[in-house]
Amino acid sequence: MEHVSCLTTLDLSNNKLSGGIPRWMGNMSSLTTLDLSNNKLSGGIPKSMGNMSSLEEILMANNHLEGPIPMEFCQFNLNLKLLDLSVNDISGSLPSCFSPLWISQVHLSKNKLQGPLTNTFSNSTFLVTLDLSNNHLTGNIPNWIGRFSQLSYLVLNNNHFEGRIPVQLCKRWGRVFSYLSRIDLSCNKLTGEIPHEVRNFQNIVLLNLSHNSLTEPIPPVVSKLKQIESLDLSYNKLSGRIPPNLWIKIRENWNGLDVLEMHGVYWIEVGLEWRASSAEQKDERVQFGALKSYWAPRSRCGVTDGCFSAVAPRRWSDVWLRFSILLCGIC
């Protein structure tokens, strides 16, 4: 196979292949699809892969690859459309020059990537899925994410991102995001308020901002997210009023809402106004319209705490505010 120079597709996925990726693969200059996923490959990604400039799809997920993504990957900027290196032990920072023009799918979750995003993917304006979850990435979420008009899935949970949620993420040159359906920024170190521009997410189905340090009241525009099925604002430092329209939608089961979580902030009921208070967990049942509820243990980042039906405590001064329907450990 070392001398097969005209091969365009090589699929060796779902086997028990071990050892390193051979350097001679770099001689396969005509290869457009390389799939080595779901094997037992180990060692580093060879720099010689940079010679495979025709590659459009690289799939090497679920192996034991380690070390950094080679700088030579920047030579894929013209043709690469899909990159899946998820579930490996890849470390180091993302090459700042790596920003494929036509790439639509990036899956780098469950690795050991670190450092800021800088300009990585800044020119990848055709991105549909960007999954960098479960790494050690730091710094701010970059403003250039607002350039991705076709972005549908943005998954950055379980990292060390800090600072505010960029307004550019919620507003692309004043236009509404028409494709964005899932945003998961949970389990980071984000601060500041939830941007009022979230009203632009007219087709958002899942919004998870839990396990951060977000402050200020919940913006009333959250209740205008018509397609939302899962909303998780739990384990933040939110304060003030629960927006009346949001409260009404909670009681009416919000038109198909599957999950609504706001636990981790302590509240006292005063009409529709809530204020912080320390509390102990209780085991009490309550019913809100069609929602039959019970209390479940608090969750932690990276730990699934099972599937629950609607949860809401009777004595708001005693327990965390938590609503969820068919919750299966989002964080």
Side-chain angles (χ1 to χ4, degrees):
M1 192 175 293
E2 182 176 353
H3 303 289
V4 181
S5 59
C6 297
L7 195 67
T8 58
T9 300
L10 178 60
D11 187 348
L12 300 175
S13 62
N14 297 287
N15 282 288
K16 298 180 180 179
L17 299 175
S18 58
I21 299 172
R23 294 181 180 178
W24 52 257
M25 276 193 175
N27 299 327
M28 295 178 153
S29 57
S30 298
L31 204 66
T32 59
T33 299
L34 174 64
D35 191 348
L36 303 177
S37 55
N38 299 306
N39 279 288
K40 298 181 180 180
L41 298 172
S42 58
I45 300 173
K47 295 180 179 180
S48 60
M49 283 188 64
N51 298 327
M52 305 165 72
S53 57
S54 298
L55 274 175
E56 297 179 3
E57 298 182 345
I58 301 175
L59 302 99
M60 300 192 292
N62 199 19
N63 280 286
H64 304 292
L65 301 175
E66 57 188 20
I69 295 176
M71 212 52 124
E72 285 73 12
F73 265 44
C74 298
Q75 298 178 42
F76 299 141
N77 281 351
L78 290 179
N79 295 312
L80 194 63
K81 297 177 181 177
L82 186 156
L83 177 65
D84 189 352
L85 303 179
S86 57
V87 196
N88 279 287
D89 293 312
I90 296 171
S91 58
S93 58
L94 292 165
S96 59
C97 60
F98 184 62
S99 188
L101 294 175
W102 304 104
I103 198 163
S104 62
Q105 301 284 331
V106 174
H107 301 271
L108 297 175
S109 63
K110 297 184 178 179
N111 278 289
K112 298 177 181 177
L113 295 169
Q114 52 191 275
L117 288 182
T118 58
N119 292 321
T120 310
F121 307 118
S122 60
N123 294 320
S124 305
T125 54
F126 293 95
L127 268 174
V128 174
T129 298
L130 179 59
D131 187 353
L132 305 177
S133 61
N134 294 279
N135 280 286
H136 305 295
L137 297 171
T138 58
N140 295 337
I141 297 174
N143 294 336
W144 47 252
I145 284 182
R147 301 176 187 172
F148 304 153
S149 60
Q150 300 184 46
L151 191 65
S152 182
Y153 297 95
L154 177 63
V155 189
L156 304 179
N157 60 284
N158 288 87
N159 278 287
H160 304 291
F161 289 115
E162 57 189 10
R164 293 176 175 270
I165 298 172
V167 173
Q168 290 82 356
L169 172 60
C170 312
K171 182 174 63 175
R172 181 183 181 270
W173 309 117
R175 287 180 283 179
V176 173
F177 277 93
S178 54
Y179 297 102
L180 200 52
S181 62
R182 176 179 175 177
I183 299 177
D184 191 345
L185 306 181
S186 63
C187 303
N188 279 288
K189 300 177 181 179
L190 300 175
T191 56
E193 64 181 2
I194 299 172
H196 289 255
E197 287 78 6
V198 295
R199 64 178 178 272
N200 292 328
F201 297 148
Q202 292 302 305
N203 292 310
I204 196 76
V205 174
L206 181 148
L207 179 60
N208 190 346
L209 305 178
S210 67
H211 294 268
N212 282 286
S213 297
L214 299 174
T215 56
E216 307 299 326
I218 301 169
V221 293
V222 169
S223 62
K224 298 184 181 296
L225 303 178
K226 297 180 180 179
Q227 304 299 321
I228 194 78
E229 293 180 6
S230 175
L231 174 64
D232 191 345
L233 306 178
S234 62
Y235 296 103
N236 278 287
K237 298 177 181 179
L238 300 171
S239 60
R241 294 172 178 265
I242 293 179
N245 288 340
L246 177 58
W247 180 246
I248 291 170
K249 288 183 179 293
I250 293 171
R251 297 184 65 178
E252 293 177 350
N253 207 1
W254 201 344
N255 220 7
L257 179 69
D258 286 327
V259 179
L260 171 59
E261 287 195 83
M262 292 183 286
H263 63 290
V265 181
Y266 313 127
W267 307 92
I268 295 176
E269 182 177 13
V270 184
L272 288 177
E273 185 173 356
W274 316 82
R275 60 176 181 268
S277 173
S278 60
E280 297 292 330
Q281 295 183 12
K282 299 291 182 182
D283 182 10
E284 295 184 320
R285 297 176 182 270
V286 67
Q287 181 171 339
F288 280 88
L291 300 183
K292 292 184 179 179
S293 312
Y294 64 87
W295 176 244
R298 66 185 297 180
S299 61
R300 302 191 307 275
C301 280
V303 178
T304 300
D305 55 357
C307 296
F308 311 103
S309 56
V311 178
R314 177 179 299 157
R315 294 173 56 193
W316 305 102
S317 60
D318 289 341
V319 292
W320 287 273
L321 176 60
R322 174 185 174 120
F323 292 93
S324 55
I325 301 173
L326 302 176
L327 171 64
C328 296
I330 287 179
C331 189

